[in-house]
Amino acid sequence: MVAPRQPLGDFLAELLAEQGQLQTPVTRFSAAPKREPTYRDLIPLTKPSPGEQYAFEVDLDSCSGCKACVVACHALNGLEDDESWRDVGLIHGGSHAAPFQQTVTTACHHCADPGCLNGCPVLAYEKDPITGIVRHLDDQCIGCQYCILKCPYDVPKYSERLGIVRKCDMCHNRLAEGEAPACVQACPTEAIKIIKIEIHVGAAVRVDTSAFLPGAPDPAYTQPTTRYISRQPLPENAAAADGAALRPQPPHWPLVALLMLMPMAVGCGVADKVLDLKTPALAVCGWVAGAAGLGLAALHLGQPLRAWKVFLNLRRSWFSREAVVFGLWFPLASAYVAVRLGWLPLAAGPLRSSLAVGTALLGTLGLFCSVMIYADTQRAFWCFANTAPRFFGTAVILGLAGALIAPGAPLALGYLLAAATALKLAFEARALTPIQEEDDGPYPPARQTARLLVGPLRPVNELRAVAGLLGGILVPLMVATGSVPPRAAWLALGLTLLGELAERYLFFRAVDAPKMPGSVRS
């Protein structure tokens, strides 16, 4: 026999009565004595011992996605309207029979080996030796935004108004006084806590990242300390709900100019030494390109008057190394050009040859540092194997294009320019191949880049191809074969510059920047 169904009214009354007896965080807060803080069980009552540090712990079962933590963080820290140090996102997965969806709150993970700290050229980050909290020093920041590129979790936020980067500091001042951080205290379900975790210090600093969030960037890079807990194991295919969203990144125009003009300066300098032309035109062309690139790069800084500190993290930051090397290259290049113009009386000989070779070697080393700046971010599109051929390829192409317009240069350089451009275009086309791959799972970075290149960035990608084909292949071949006058080499240089400018623009915009899971926007 089947038991008779309970009347709906009685069933609802039973549920309401049960709900009224639940001891939720809100009811406990309401029943607690007014002078007794209820959040004391959400923070450690003692400081970390040696080998420990503070960390966030997020109870996924309790997170409702209400964003009270976001609002509290924004209000307490006085953030700007479009600035947020804590975000709420969504992960999903499972199967058609048992779908899974979970809201998740994220902030700075106060990593054991923070990428932002390691990459900052002016030491504007510090990791507290006792608490392990990673703090940003606003008065030290030059606004270069390299920490944003180094952080795989999209934590540091740049303020256009202040010209500096800012980030979550776990409300360290409140913790020092026994107060809970804003997000911890504001969460109505007590989903966020501050805990102490163990840090393993050896050849490299390591923490247990097994409780990190599925669907988030790989924790092996920076060793994030945040713990995400749940009574039920999360599905293995859990992924960010916005994982397929296309997000073209900022173009960083001053850096586009720097990374197009400095390779040109290096390429022209090497070509001038190799070709040994009687005219100094090629050396002057390279010096002008280098001076313009270094000058425009300063426009990228939010606080350019503090840029003198850029050498402080020479031990760990490729940014500092690039600045120092190019800082040494410029006076050497200036001296070399002065010699070529006859302004410095230095006759041909070992000293003059050493000056030329030293300038070329320093420029090449600086270009290598530029490659490593982006390879060190661990972004797939910026890996060394993809970045080095682009940067050094630009040096070869623009060096040859500059040499082709120099008086007395052999017109056969047009063949070399065409070959170099064809190779570089073929190499760049490899970025489009992942678009043909079938993938029902999360979108890998290579495929996201390909989708950007054939989607919102397609017009610029086509411009790059056309300018490269015309300026780097067709016109140089016509100059080399005598089909057009030698002055057509100026057209080749102009189109080649346009093509390399478009390629460097795509280099910044088409990269798939890792981040913590976000929400799906309609």
Side-chain angles (χ1 to χ4, degrees):
M1 296 180 60
V2 179
R5 288 186 175 180
Q6 183 181 14
L8 180 59
D10 294 345
F11 178 63
L12 292 177
E14 181 180 333
L15 289 179
L16 290 173
E18 181 181 355
Q19 186 177 20
Q21 299 174 359
L22 293 177
Q23 289 297 309
T24 65
V26 175
T27 57
R28 291 199 302 271
F29 178 83
S30 302
K34 298 300 181 183
R35 295 184 179 179
E36 181 182 338
T38 59
Y39 53 78
R40 286 293 174 85
D41 58 343
L42 302 179
I43 61 175
L45 299 182
T46 59
K47 292 184 178 180
S49 303
E52 293 182 332
Q53 79 161 71
Y54 287 147
F56 284 114
E57 181 181 84
V58 178
D59 185 353
L60 294 176
D61 299 331
S62 299
C63 180
S64 63
C66 68
K67 298 187 178 181
C69 54
V70 177
V71 174
C73 175
H74 192 281
L76 182 67
N77 292 290
L79 306 185
E80 299 175 10
D81 292 345
D82 58 347
E83 186 179 13
S84 177
W85 293 356
R86 179 167 282 279
D87 298 294
V88 172
L90 186 71
I91 58 175
H92 60 189
S95 62
H96 293 291
F100 168 82
Q101 177 175 295
Q102 174 65 56
T103 56
V104 57
T105 175
T106 65
C108 178
H109 301 301
H110 300 278
C111 303
D113 187 21
C116 56
L117 183 149
N118 293 330
C120 179
V122 295
L123 302 177
Y125 285 88
E126 68 175 12
K127 187 172 178 66
D128 190 283
I130 298 177
T131 64
I133 295 174
V134 180
R135 296 174 53 203
H136 180 262
L137 309 178
D138 292 357
D139 58 350
Q140 184 78 355
C141 181
I142 62 174
C144 70
Q145 305 173 55
Y146 186 46
C147 57
I148 297 178
L149 306 184
K150 284 280 289 178
C151 177
Y153 311 110
D154 192 31
V155 168
K157 299 296 190 296
Y158 181 70
S159 170
E160 292 282 355
R161 180 178 63 86
L162 299 174
I164 61 172
V165 166
R166 302 193 293 180
K167 64 172 283 293
C168 157
D169 60 2
M170 203 182 276
C171 294
H172 68 281
N173 290 329
R174 292 173 61 87
L175 276 174
E177 300 297 328
E179 298 280 341
C183 56
V184 174
Q185 190 164 341
C187 180
T189 60
E190 297 183 350
I192 309 174
K193 294 181 180 180
I194 304 297
I195 61 173
K196 292 187 290 186
I197 64 167
E198 292 185 357
I199 301 292
H200 305 284
V201 180
V205 180
R206 290 289 181 266
V207 296
D208 181 11
T209 58
S210 60
F212 197 57
L213 186 69
D218 185 3
Y221 174 37
T222 64
Q223 300 292 303
T225 62
T226 303
R227 300 290 187 264
Y228 292 92
I229 62 174
S230 175
R231 289 187 295 272
Q232 299 294 330
L234 302 182
E236 294 183 0
N237 65 345
D242 62 342
L246 293 179
R247 297 176 290 110
Q249 297 303 300
H252 299 297
W253 281 110
L255 297 182
V256 169
L258 171 70
L259 295 175
M260 181 190 73
L261 294 174
M262 282 309 302
M264 181 179 182
V266 174
C268 287
V270 173
D272 181 74
K273 170 62 180 172
V274 173
L275 296 175
D276 195 22
L277 301 176
K278 294 182 178 180
T279 172
L282 187 54
V284 173
C285 177
W287 182 89
V288 171
L294 293 176
L296 291 172
L299 299 178
H300 179 67
L301 303 179
Q303 296 288 338
L305 296 181
R306 301 176 185 173
W308 63 269
K309 300 182 290 187
V310 74
F311 67 91
L312 292 178
N313 200 11
L314 191 62
R315 186 170 65 91
R316 290 182 295 187
S317 175
W318 284 103
F319 193 115
S320 292
R321 295 164 187 167
E322 180 204 47
V324 169
V325 172
F326 279 142
L328 295 173
W329 169 87
F330 187 71
L332 274 185
S334 300
Y336 178 69
V337 170
V339 169
R340 294 284 278 132
L341 290 171
W343 296 349
L344 284 179
L346 187 62
L351 185 58
R352 181 168 176 171
S353 179
S354 298
L355 178 61
V357 172
T359 302
L361 289 178
L362 265 182
T364 304
L365 179 60
L367 203 54
F368 174 78
C369 291
S370 296
V371 171
M372 291 307 301
I373 283 177
Y374 299 95
D376 196 41
T377 65
Q378 307 295 311
R379 297 185 176 187
F381 187 52
W382 290 351
C383 68
F384 184 88
N386 191 47
T387 302
R390 290 173 182 269
F391 286 16
F392 283 98
T394 298
V396 172
I397 289 171
L398 294 183
L400 290 171
L404 198 59
I405 66 171
L411 297 182
L413 290 175
Y415 293 116
L416 294 178
L417 176 56
T421 304
L423 288 174
K424 190 165 185 285
L425 288 175
F427 178 83
E428 293 169 15
R430 294 168 61 250
L432 301 176
T433 53
I435 199 66
Q436 308 296 334
E437 299 176 2
E438 295 294 334
D439 187 359
D440 296 329
Y443 285 81
R447 190 177 183 191
Q448 289 295 84
T449 292
R451 293 177 64 214
L452 284 168
L453 291 174
V454 300
L457 301 178
R458 181 170 183 171
V460 181
N461 196 29
E462 293 177 345
L463 172 65
R464 190 279 175 275
V466 171
L469 290 171
L470 293 178
I473 298 178
L474 181 60
V475 176
L477 288 177
M478 296 176 69
V479 170
T481 57
S483 302
V484 293
R487 63 175 178 270
W490 285 95
L491 176 61
L493 176 61
L495 288 174
T496 302
L497 281 169
L498 178 61
E500 294 303 310
L501 179 69
E503 187 271 314
R504 209 48 35 94
Y505 171 86
L506 293 172
F507 176 80
F508 283 101
R509 299 224 69 191
V511 64
D512 181 59
K515 60 184 287 292
M516 292 298 289
S519 57
V520 178
R521 303 180 185 274
S522 57

